[in-house]
Amino acid sequence: MTTESSPRDRLWSRREIEGLIAEGRKIIILNGRVIKADAWLPFHPGGDKTILHMVGRDGTDEIRALHSLEAQAHMQKFVIGRIQGRWINFLPPIQGGHFRPYVKGQEDNDAEEGEDSDLQTDGALSSCSDSSAPPSPIFDPVDARERGTSSPSTSSLSENEQANVKDDPIQMKLSAEKSSDMLKYPSLDHSSQGRIVAKYRELDAQMRAAGLYDCPYGAYGVECCRYILLFASSLLALHYSYYAISGALLGLFWHQLVFTAHDAGHMGITHNFHVDTCIGIFIADFLGGLSIGWWKRNHNVHHIVTNSPEHDPDIEHMPFFAISTRFFSSLRSTYYDRIMQFDSIAKLAIAKQHWLYYPILLLGRFNLYRLSWEYLFLGQAPKKGPAWWHRYLEILGQFVFWSWFGYGIVYCSIPTAWDRFVFVMISHMVTAPLHVQITLSHFAMSTTDMGVHESFPQKMLRTTMDVDCAPWLDFVHGGLQFQAVHHLYPRIPRHNLRKGQVYVREFCKETGVPYAIYGFTKGNREVLGRLEEVARQVRVFEECRKACAIEVVEGKEHAHSH
């Protein structure tokens, strides 16, 4: 008696998966299984962008980091087969990857027969190129640095790349930054990155065994006491007409609340999706007037494509800030689906961005209102799936917030327009340190695109830094000072991150991945230094543009004279 094998056990070749993606299928590799996420795309509580950035990739580490075991089990419903051997990532379509259609029976010389064995060697990627097939960027052979056949240096750039950057100081700087990263971080060959991934997964098991994923609920009891004290003090000052003091205390209340909302958004409190989401909605929407759903959609993408100028919304602040000269090219944001124009306004602001950094962040909360309303009222939130009702609870929360804050306090409890203005501005500007903390861990870090072969843990440590502070100041930073640890293990409760930092330091020593950590003052200097450096490049960019224009004019005049 024979039984037919399940379609879930079908073995898919790399070439067949490329063909599926060429047809528009959303294919992700998870634990050696092939996931077709098309049906789940509109219902994903974290938004569709996070899925799109994983298409064609092995998303095992990213998915494990951001999802509960229950969510991972749910993904098994979308399994259509499996792969054999080590998977080599494609460049996702949303990031510019191109894919060739596949016709069954079509002869193809992609050297697939040799891939299953060769993928274990450093030179496997070079076997993916196909001189007889149509060109495809996803099959371009990697450079010598990634194959591990040469020492990292500027000579690892191709001849075409060298020719392109030779006369362009902006491109020369970007090339130097990439070369510096290649010198500083472990090789991108499969052996090195595979060892890092193995150590990363071992570390996760150690942290679970040590109980670091268990929530210390007593710590949240202390947090709640602090919240009640700040809010009650604000109301008391309001009662006695100390409007500036009342606004400052309310701002501190919001500042502290965000830390717990952040935990809830990552399911770091009860680890139950709906319970933690409701906690986040109560804190963010009902008490703070901000959408936790918007934040999760934005923040999940940030955790996947950290510090990528084209893809990470947390560093896309044009026309006010640019932390890389790549923004001078008027990049298209895949998150906002628009061109980030490097126009005259952007040139003017970015040339002074190191002076504007703190003043602009003082007004950051007002922009968060706008983004929250766009998410809730312009159809960005999921309309079906397990999170469909969260949007309506959030909208209710917005009405409750503006009822107690906008009407009850600002309009009814403060008599004059000037006092209202002072109260609103101070309450919102006091939250500025939060925006400084959010940008602090990333603005000074690498924005280099190291390609699809860099492992998840190395990318997180390359693009994120920690802030060193005394343990008694942890409540001021709210866990955001451990961003490197958090990016590696986002669902660990923030009160356990200091313990987790010990494990991560050891992991970095064993793997050779640098661990970036600065004091708060030094970190701010690093950020301001990066902003000033990019500001100086604006002048270089303008000089290059004018020189090119002169050359064009002189070339035309020379041609006309002949």
Side-chain angles (χ1 to χ4, degrees):
M1 179 178 178
T2 60
T3 58
E4 294 185 3
S5 62
S6 167
R8 295 165 59 89
D9 293 325
R10 172 179 173 175
L11 182 63
W12 289 87
S13 71
R14 179 179 174 81
R15 186 67 185 87
E16 288 174 319
I17 290 177
E18 183 193 4
L20 288 177
I21 299 174
E23 294 172 3
R25 307 301 181 197
K26 309 303 182 287
I27 305 297
I28 302 170
I29 308 301
L30 171 63
N31 293 322
R33 312 294 289 184
V34 181
I35 305 286
K36 184 164 78 73
D38 301 58
W40 184 240
L41 197 66
F43 309 132
H44 185 225
D48 61 340
K49 303 292 187 182
T50 50
I51 294 178
L52 296 178
H53 281 294
M54 285 289 98
V55 171
R57 296 175 58 93
D58 185 336
T60 301
D61 291 315
E62 290 88 339
I63 290 171
R64 284 179 176 175
L66 292 167
H67 295 81
S68 65
L69 294 175
E70 292 76 15
Q72 294 177 50
H74 177 74
M75 296 176 194
Q76 298 304 309
K77 297 180 180 179
F78 305 98
V79 170
I80 61 171
R82 58 189 177 88
I83 61 167
Q84 191 173 25
R86 186 197 298 268
W87 179 255
I88 302 177
N89 289 331
F90 289 127
L91 182 66
I94 192 173
Q95 297 180 15
H98 299 279
F99 296 81
R100 299 167 296 176
Y102 175 77
V103 179
K104 188 175 181 179
Q106 179 185 50
E107 291 295 328
D108 191 271
N109 297 319
D110 288 329
E112 284 184 0
E113 292 181 359
E115 280 184 3
D116 291 341
S117 59
D118 291 343
L119 288 181
Q120 306 304 320
T121 68
D122 295 342
L125 290 175
S126 61
S127 67
C128 295
S129 60
D130 178 8
S131 59
S132 64
S136 175
I138 53 176
F139 284 117
D140 285 345
V142 296
D143 61 29
R145 165 62 175 161
E146 291 176 315
R147 290 195 298 269
T149 58
S150 69
S151 60
S153 66
T154 53
S155 63
S156 63
L157 296 172
S158 68
E159 292 182 2
N160 288 337
E161 286 178 310
Q162 292 180 20
N164 290 335
V165 306
K166 185 173 61 175
D167 298 321
D168 188 337
I170 301 297
Q171 290 301 319
M172 287 178 66
K173 178 172 176 54
L174 292 173
S175 267
E177 290 174 357
K178 182 170 184 177
S179 296
S180 175
D181 280 352
M182 293 169 72
L183 280 166
K184 189 176 180 181
Y185 290 87
S187 169
L188 297 178
D189 64 75
H190 285 312
S191 176
S192 298
Q193 294 301 306
R195 187 172 65 90
I196 292 171
V197 168
K199 289 287 185 181
Y200 169 71
R201 295 175 182 178
E202 288 176 12
L203 183 59
D204 181 57
Q206 292 174 18
M207 288 183 162
R208 289 181 185 277
L212 296 191
Y213 279 86
D214 300 333
C215 180
Y217 290 106
Y220 283 105
V222 175
E223 300 285 353
C224 289
C225 292
R226 186 181 299 117
Y227 302 156
I228 293 170
L229 177 62
L230 286 170
F231 191 67
S233 299
S234 176
L235 293 180
L236 184 64
L238 182 68
H239 176 73
Y240 287 103
S241 301
Y242 296 117
Y243 301 121
I245 295 175
S246 176
L249 290 168
L250 182 61
L252 291 175
F253 169 71
W254 285 335
H255 177 270
Q256 288 290 305
L257 276 180
V258 167
F259 302 141
T260 300
H262 180 263
D263 295 347
H266 279 293
M267 293 183 294
I269 302 177
T270 70
H271 302 302
N272 179 283
F273 171 66
H274 288 296
V275 173
D276 277 2
T277 299
C278 286
I279 292 173
I281 290 174
F282 176 71
I283 293 172
D285 292 88
F286 283 77
L287 299 180
L290 306 177
S291 167
I292 193 70
W294 161 79
W295 177 84
K296 289 171 71 172
R297 182 177 186 264
N298 177 288
H299 197 66
N300 287 341
V301 174
H302 163 68
H303 269 267
I304 295 293
V305 287
T306 310
N307 261 28
S308 171
E310 297 91 344
H311 313 301
D312 181 1
D314 273 17
I315 65 167
E316 294 178 343
H317 302 296
M318 296 286 281
F320 302 109
F321 299 128
I323 64 171
S324 169
T325 53
R326 289 169 64 188
F327 285 102
F328 295 179
S329 302
S330 294
L331 300 175
R332 182 175 188 82
S333 166
T334 58
Y335 181 83
Y336 293 109
D337 196 24
R338 61 176 173 81
I339 301 293
M340 297 178 288
Q341 295 287 354
F342 186 61
D343 53 21
S344 56
I345 295 176
K347 293 172 186 175
L348 181 64
I350 292 171
K352 303 295 182 183
Q353 63 179 354
H354 48 300
W355 296 105
L356 298 174
Y357 176 62
Y358 294 116
I360 287 177
L361 292 188
L362 286 171
L363 306 176
R365 191 175 183 87
F366 293 105
N367 186 51
L368 298 184
Y369 290 140
R370 177 186 67 84
L371 294 169
S372 296
W373 297 336
E374 285 181 358
Y375 173 82
L376 292 173
F377 299 109
L378 296 183
Q380 296 177 3
K383 300 179 180 60
K384 297 180 181 179
W388 70 268
W389 56 274
H390 294 173
R391 172 174 175 259
Y392 298 100
L393 184 59
E394 285 202 77
I395 290 174
L396 174 63
Q398 292 291 315
F399 281 105
V400 170
F401 171 79
W402 289 105
S403 295
W404 74 259
F405 172 71
Y407 180 74
I409 291 182
V410 176
Y411 182 74
C412 294
S413 301
I414 302 177
T416 68
W418 173 250
D419 287 333
R420 290 170 185 161
F421 175 77
V422 169
F423 178 84
V424 169
M425 294 304 296
I426 289 179
S427 64
H428 285 65
M429 292 167 69
V430 161
T431 65
L434 173 67
H435 305 293
V436 173
Q437 286 176 282
I438 291 171
T439 59
L440 186 62
S441 293
H442 299 291
F443 269 26
M445 297 302 289
S446 171
T447 58
T448 301
D449 181 3
M450 299 292 282
V452 296
H453 310 301
E454 184 178 33
S455 64
F456 172 71
Q458 177 168 310
K459 180 177 176 65
M460 293 302 102
L461 289 166
R462 182 174 58 82
T463 57
T464 311
M465 78 173 182
D466 277 354
V467 176
D468 193 21
C469 73
W472 68 272
L473 282 173
D474 282 354
F475 82 96
V476 176
H477 294 279
L480 297 183
Q481 75 272 36
F482 301 116
Q483 279 291 291
V485 184
H486 169 67
H487 267 254
L488 290 173
Y489 303 102
R491 290 186 300 109
I492 289 182
R494 65 180 160 101
H495 299 97
N496 293 337
L497 290 176
R498 183 172 287 276
K499 297 177 183 177
Q501 186 183 50
V502 177
Y503 290 84
V504 171
R505 284 181 183 271
E506 187 61 30
F507 165 80
C508 290
K509 289 180 182 178
E510 292 180 0
T511 59
V513 179
Y515 171 56
I517 181 168
Y518 298 97
F520 185 75
T521 302
K522 177 67 181 304
N524 274 268
R525 285 203 297 264
E526 290 288 322
V527 170
L528 291 174
R530 168 64 65 86
L531 294 174
E532 185 176 7
E533 181 183 7
V534 175
R536 284 198 301 266
Q537 294 298 316
V538 174
R539 293 190 291 272
V540 175
F541 177 85
E542 282 298 288
E543 290 171 2
C544 290
R545 186 184 63 82
K546 291 176 182 177
C548 290
I550 292 172
E551 287 182 5
V552 170
V553 171
E554 290 179 348
K556 288 182 178 180
E557 291 177 350
H558 179 74
H560 182 71
S561 63
H562 284 77

